[in-house]
Amino acid sequence: MKKRIAIDMDDVMADTHAKFIQLYLEGEMPRYTLDELKEKSFHELFDENEYKVISERVYEPGFFRDIPVMEGAREVISDLMQKYDVFVASAAQEFPNSLREKWDWLGEHFPDISWRNYIFLGDKSVLDTDYLIDDLPRNLHTFKGEGLLFDALHNREDNQFRRMKSWQEIAAHLL
Amino acid sequence: MKKRIAIDMDDVMADTHAKFIQLYLEGEMPRYTLDELKEKSFHELFDENEYKVISERVYEPGFFRDIPVMEGAREVISDLMQKYDVFVASAAQEFPNSLREKWDWLGEHFPDISWRNYIFLGDKSVLDTDYLIDDLPRNLHTFKGEGLLFDALHNREDNQFRRMKSWQEIAAHLL
């Protein structure tokens, strides 16, 4: 039997942070430039109110539908599928508007992954796969297999999990 | 740590077969009475075309939103939640229209179950819980914990799994 990999969507398959940056820059009088926004996390740059305003945009219908694909994800996942059973594991249940949008997004950008391998859940501790690739250390903490931390501005402090700086590093580790 | 139970929705928490019967009886010239429909499965009663017509109604928007709650489910699940961590595990990914409808249905009928414990997936073999209560033997076959088969007209042939005739029997077994 092939080994099984579960892959998170936001900030792993999908460049969700890039979408937030775009929305912020389109907003009223942004205080930071694109370069600054690519250097530091929203938590470092924004005050509480600014953070709340930008993060609540996830509740808007359509937010999850047009997020760009993370650089390298398409090619590497296609290669991983030759060797592994690939599942998509997204904590989509927090945002009910995201459920259909994520289903449609996956069908558009990853047509080779069957709906049979989509998993939309809240708590990833119920997953039984060999690997989990995720940007949130809290999801890796409760995972029994090998957790791989996908590098992001908001997880730079973590040093408990093996950090993958890019999809190319994932390819090098797993292929 | 509490033991964990995953519970299927259709024909376990939700009386989906009752909804199909209702739609059939509202259709053009039904050939069977309610009593007959409660005695035998659609596979036994219907020819291929009739079966196709009725089963394709799951694709209609709204199909999953107003399904009645299975008799006893609310009370027993409420009791199970005292002793176990209860997760809902529905193979909803086959029907993308069902995703939001199932989320809303759960919020209406089972408000004490958090969205954190919803799992919408395609292939239940990725689940790592202690129990799975499901009406489809194929879902129990790939499950590593204790599988409990929820009795239904369409699974009467199965004799591989412990059969639960009702939510009351589940209470007697697990509480």
Side-chain angles (χ1 to χ4, degrees):
Chain A
M1 203 171 93
K2 283 179 177 176
K3 286 199 173 186
R4 302 190 294 184
I5 304 179
I7 306 175
D8 179 38
M9 288 178 76
D10 290 307
D11 289 319
V12 179
M13 293 173 78
D15 196 349
T16 312
H17 192 64
K19 169 93 188 240
F20 277 120
I21 287 179
Q22 176 206 328
L23 291 174
Y24 175 75
L25 291 173
E26 288 167 4
E28 287 176 22
M29 294 192 295
R31 294 202 284 139
Y32 301 104
T33 65
L34 180 58
D35 281 348
E36 290 170 312
L37 293 158
K38 283 181 164 178
E39 274 297 306
K40 291 188 171 182
S41 74
F42 284 179
H43 270 298
E44 290 168 289
L45 294 172
F46 294 165
D47 65 33
E48 208 175 309
N49 186 54
E50 283 174 310
Y51 185 79
K52 192 167 171 284
V53 167
I54 189 71
S55 55
E56 283 187 349
R57 300 208 51 180
V58 293
Y59 294 102
E60 291 173 9
F63 177 89
F64 292 94
R65 185 59 187 89
D66 64 353
I67 296 178
V69 176
M70 188 69 81
E71 192 270 312
R74 225 181 315 235
E75 302 72 16
V76 174
I77 288 173
S78 173
D79 291 344
L80 288 172
M81 288 174 73
Q82 305 301 311
K83 188 174 166 189
Y84 298 92
D85 280 334
V86 169
F87 292 84
V88 178
S90 172
Q93 300 288 356
E94 187 172 358
F95 311 108
N97 59 299
S98 80
L99 296 165
R100 179 61 190 255
E101 293 173 15
K102 283 172 179 271
W103 200 95
D104 290 337
W105 188 93
L106 287 166
E108 179 186 347
H109 297 294
F110 294 87
D112 294 341
I113 303 177
S114 163
W115 57 261
R116 289 178 182 80
N117 289 26
Y118 298 173
I119 311 166
F120 295 168
L121 71 180
D123 171 355
K124 295 190 186 179
S125 72
V126 298
L127 283 179
D128 177 28
T129 57
D130 298 288
Y131 298 93
L132 172 61
I133 306 172
D134 207 295
D135 65 306
L136 294 179
R138 68 165 183 266
N139 290 330
L140 300 176
H141 273 295
T142 57
F143 181 66
K144 287 175 214 76
E146 181 179 341
L148 299 173
L149 184 70
F150 199 87
D151 185 55
L153 293 170
H154 56 261
N155 67 28
R156 291 272 158 92
E157 308 273 287
D158 182 86
N159 53 19
Q160 288 190 74
F161 297 101
R162 186 161 184 154
R163 183 177 297 273
M164 299 281 118
K165 296 285 279 182
S166 65
W167 275 99
Q168 286 70 35
E169 277 198 21
I170 292 172
H173 182 59
L174 293 175
L175 291 172
Chain B
M1 203 172 95
K2 284 179 176 176
K3 286 199 173 186
R4 302 192 293 185
I5 304 179
I7 306 175
D8 179 38
M9 288 178 76
D10 289 307
D11 289 319
V12 179
M13 293 172 77
D15 196 349
T16 312
H17 192 64
K19 169 93 187 241
F20 277 121
I21 287 178
Q22 176 207 327
L23 291 174
Y24 174 75
L25 291 173
E26 288 168 4
E28 286 176 21
M29 294 191 294
R31 292 201 287 141
Y32 300 105
T33 66
L34 180 58
D35 282 346
E36 289 170 310
L37 293 159
K38 283 181 164 177
E39 275 296 305
K40 290 189 172 179
S41 73
F42 284 180
H43 270 300
E44 289 168 291
L45 294 172
F46 295 164
D47 65 34
E48 205 174 313
N49 186 52
E50 283 174 309
Y51 185 79
K52 191 166 172 284
V53 167
I54 189 70
S55 55
E56 284 186 348
R57 301 210 49 180
V58 293
Y59 294 101
E60 291 175 9
F63 177 89
F64 292 94
R65 185 60 188 87
D66 64 351
I67 297 177
V69 176
M70 188 68 81
E71 193 271 311
R74 226 180 315 233
E75 302 73 18
V76 175
I77 288 173
S78 174
D79 292 343
L80 288 172
M81 287 174 73
Q82 305 301 312
K83 188 174 167 190
Y84 299 91
D85 280 333
V86 169
F87 292 84
V88 178
S90 172
Q93 299 288 357
E94 187 173 357
F95 311 108
N97 59 300
S98 81
L99 296 166
R100 179 62 191 254
E101 293 174 15
K102 283 172 179 271
W103 199 94
D104 290 336
W105 188 93
L106 287 166
E108 179 185 347
H109 299 294
F110 294 86
D112 295 341
I113 303 177
S114 162
W115 57 260
R116 289 177 182 80
N117 289 26
Y118 299 173
I119 311 165
F120 295 169
L121 69 182
D123 170 356
K124 296 191 185 178
S125 73
V126 298
L127 283 179
D128 176 29
T129 56
D130 299 288
Y131 299 92
L132 172 62
I133 305 172
D134 208 295
D135 65 304
L136 293 179
R138 68 166 181 265
N139 290 330
L140 300 177
H141 273 294
T142 57
F143 180 67
K144 286 175 215 78
E146 181 179 339
L148 299 173
L149 184 71
F150 199 88
D151 185 57
L153 292 170
H154 56 261
N155 67 29
R156 290 273 159 90
E157 309 272 288
D158 181 86
N159 53 19
Q160 287 191 73
F161 298 100
R162 186 160 184 158
R163 183 176 297 272
M164 299 281 119
K165 296 284 280 183
S166 65
W167 275 100
Q168 287 69 34
E169 277 198 20
I170 291 172
H173 182 57
L174 293 175
L175 291 171

